[in-house]
């Protein structure tokens, strides 16, 4: 249609090659972005409502970080309304440079918050298993709120130089033409982001989860040895009340972390290659970007499938909505 033709003329459609292909690909891109936007907003609103309706979830201190990630991912979905509306409507009167800079900055900050929260969650679980007796004194609600505030402040500051012309904050798969042609990545700024965000977060997560599962394996081995030596109900009770709940919960969080890095790894690799001028592909840019953004919805799915308390809260929320209807 004529409206789609206008969209293809004014917006960047990185996967198209011919004129008609560009129109078809613009439609495909629009469907992908609109679908992801809807799923991210709906999924994270569900997580937020379930946390408010399931008091048992608040027994875990990591619920502070999970809710922070849910709000950050919700804002990612709301931010994706910008390219969604840009693709669905003729973008008259829109300052492309300012829109691209603000949108790229917001998306980068929000995903930085998610990455930092995953690192803090791993540290929290590490302290819960290695220092169970002093854990409640070390991890208090006040300290958790301060930590979350620092995460937001740090994430906002680390990408701020992009507004002063020092590279691109990391957003690819550009919707507007100005983003794709005039706003280029910078190798030094990319190295700055990797050294101060990606690498430290990955190192902390690998270190903590390695030691968490190592300690859990040692504990399981000790319990099995005791059961073999003293087959009594007391040993079984001790084994059931040991680290097994912590291990199960750590496994849930480890799945969330693993999926996060699996979806973000292609994006980070392409970010590094494009900044170094080794590889530039509009198709890869679009695919890696929106694959990474799709993680904002995957967290909801993993948590709902892996956590029994969350499933119970989701069922109660569904029953409440159905009864009111």
């Amino acid at each position: 249609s004529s409206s789609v033709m206008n969209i293809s003329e004014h917006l960047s459609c990185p996967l198209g090659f011919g004129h008609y292909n560009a129109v078809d690909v613009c439609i495909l891109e629009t469907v992908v972005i609109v679908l992801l936007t809807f799923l991210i907003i709906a999924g994270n609103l569900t997580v937020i409502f379930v946390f408010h309706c399931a008091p048992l979830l608040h027994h875990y201190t990591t619920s502070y970080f999970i809710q922070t990630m849910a709000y950050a991912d919700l804002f990612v979905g709301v931010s994706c309304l910008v390219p969604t509306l840009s693709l669905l409507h003729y973008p008259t009167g829109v300052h492309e440079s300012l829109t691209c800079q603000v949108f790229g900055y917001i998306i980068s900050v929000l995903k930085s918050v998610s990455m930092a929260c995953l690192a803090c969650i791993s540290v929290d679980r590490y302290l819960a298993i290695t220092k169970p007796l002093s854990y409640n004194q070390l991890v208090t609600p006040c300290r958790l709120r301060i930590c979350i505030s620092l995460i937001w402040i740090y994430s906002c500051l680390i990408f701020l130089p992009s507004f002063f012309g020092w590279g691109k904050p990391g957003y690819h798969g550009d919707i507007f033409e100005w983003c794709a042609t005039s706003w280029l990545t910078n190798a030094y700024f990319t190295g700055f982001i990797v050294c101060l965000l990606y690498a430290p977060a990955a190192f902390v997560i690998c270190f903590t989860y390695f030691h968490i599962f190592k300690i859990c394996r040692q504990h399981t081995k000790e319990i099995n040895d005791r059961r073999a030596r003293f087959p009594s109900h007391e040993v079984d009770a001790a084994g059931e009340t040991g680290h097994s709940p912590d291990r199960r919960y750590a496994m849930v969080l480890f799945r969330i972390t693993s999926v996060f890095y699996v979806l973000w790894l292609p994006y980070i690799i392409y970010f590094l290659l494009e900044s170094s001028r080794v590889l530039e592909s509009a198709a890869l840019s679009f695919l890696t970007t929106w694959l990474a953004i799709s993680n904002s919805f995957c967290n909801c799915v993993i948590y709902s499938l892996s956590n029994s308390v969350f499933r119970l809260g989701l069922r109660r929320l569904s029953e409440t909505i159905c009864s009111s209807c």
Side-chain angles (χ1 to χ4, degrees), residues 201-218:
F203 173 78
V204 168
I205 289 170
C206 292
F207 175 84
T208 52
Y209 278 113
F210 172 79
H211 285 85
I212 285 171
F213 292 118
K214 182 180 178 181
I215 292 170
C216 288
R217 280 198 303 270
Q218 292 176 349

Side-chain angles (χ1 to χ4, degrees), residues 16-316:
F17 297 97
H19 182 68
Y20 294 101
N21 284 342
V23 175
D24 294 338
V25 171
C26 273
I27 296 174
L28 177 61
E29 291 178 11
T30 304
V31 171
V32 170
I33 295 173
V34 170
L35 181 62
L36 277 178
T37 302
F38 172 76
L39 290 176
I40 290 170
I41 293 176
N44 286 285
L45 279 176
T46 302
V47 171
I48 291 169
F49 284 134
V50 169
F51 265 93
H52 284 291
C53 297
L56 287 175
L57 287 169
H58 294 281
H59 292 179
Y60 295 103
T61 55
T62 50
S63 65
Y64 286 86
F65 296 111
I66 294 292
Q67 291 183 79
T68 301
M69 289 174 57
Y71 280 108
D73 290 334
L74 175 63
F75 293 146
V76 168
V78 173
S79 300
C80 288
L81 290 174
V82 174
T84 300
L85 295 176
S86 299
L87 286 170
L88 293 177
H89 299 285
Y90 186 86
T92 56
V94 176
H95 299 284
E96 289 190 9
S97 59
L98 181 61
T99 303
C100 292
Q101 286 182 324
V102 173
F103 178 65
Y105 174 78
I106 290 174
I107 289 290
S108 299
V109 168
L110 293 174
K111 299 318 295 180
S112 172
V113 169
S114 296
M115 192 174 294
C117 282
L118 289 173
C120 290
I121 286 172
S122 67
V123 173
D124 176 83
R125 291 298 88 197
Y126 177 77
L127 293 175
I129 290 179
T130 57
K131 300 182 182 297
L133 299 179
S134 58
Y135 174 77
N136 291 330
Q137 287 75 32
L138 291 173
V139 182
T140 61
C142 180
R143 290 179 178 176
L144 287 172
R145 294 189 186 97
I146 293 173
C147 181
I148 291 171
S149 300
L150 291 175
I151 287 173
W152 281 99
I153 294 171
Y154 183 79
S155 299
C156 290
L157 291 177
I158 194 173
F159 291 102
L160 201 58
S162 63
F163 276 108
F164 301 98
W166 193 30
K168 207 173 185 178
Y171 172 67
H172 304 284
D174 306 303
I175 302 302
F176 293 104
E177 189 68 24
W178 186 89
C179 297
T181 59
S182 302
W183 199 18
L184 303 178
T185 54
N186 183 287
Y188 295 106
F189 183 69
T190 302
F192 172 77
I193 297 298
V194 169
C195 292
L196 293 184
L197 178 62
Y198 296 153
F203 173 78
V204 168
I205 289 170
C206 292
F207 175 84
T208 52
Y209 278 113
F210 172 79
H211 285 85
I212 285 171
F213 292 118
K214 182 180 178 181
I215 292 170
C216 288
R217 280 198 303 270
Q218 292 176 349
H219 183 80
T220 303
K221 183 180 178 181
E222 291 175 1
I223 294 297
N224 292 333
D225 291 342
R226 290 178 185 177
R227 284 175 177 172
R229 193 175 303 173
F230 308 105
S232 65
H233 295 290
E234 294 180 359
V235 175
D236 292 338
E240 292 297 328
T241 58
H243 288 298
S244 55
D246 287 328
R247 184 181 183 182
R248 286 194 298 269
Y249 194 60
M251 280 299 299
V252 174
L253 300 173
F254 181 71
R255 291 190 194 106
I256 293 176
T257 305
S258 300
V259 171
F260 181 92
Y261 276 96
V262 166
L263 294 177
W264 272 82
L265 189 60
Y267 168 83
I268 295 173
I269 293 174
Y270 180 80
F271 187 26
L272 293 171
L273 293 176
E274 186 187 87
S275 301
S276 305
R277 303 294 182 267
V278 175
L279 175 64
E280 289 187 14
S281 171
L284 286 176
S285 175
F286 179 84
L287 292 174
T288 56
T289 295
W290 291 98
L291 180 66
I293 291 177
S294 68
N295 174 256
S296 297
F297 171 70
C298 293
N299 289 340
C300 315
V301 177
I302 297 169
Y303 206 74
S304 60
L305 293 177
S306 302
N307 190 282
S308 58
V309 179
F310 184 89
R311 290 197 300 271
L312 178 62
L314 182 60
R315 187 174 64 189
R316 289 178 178 175

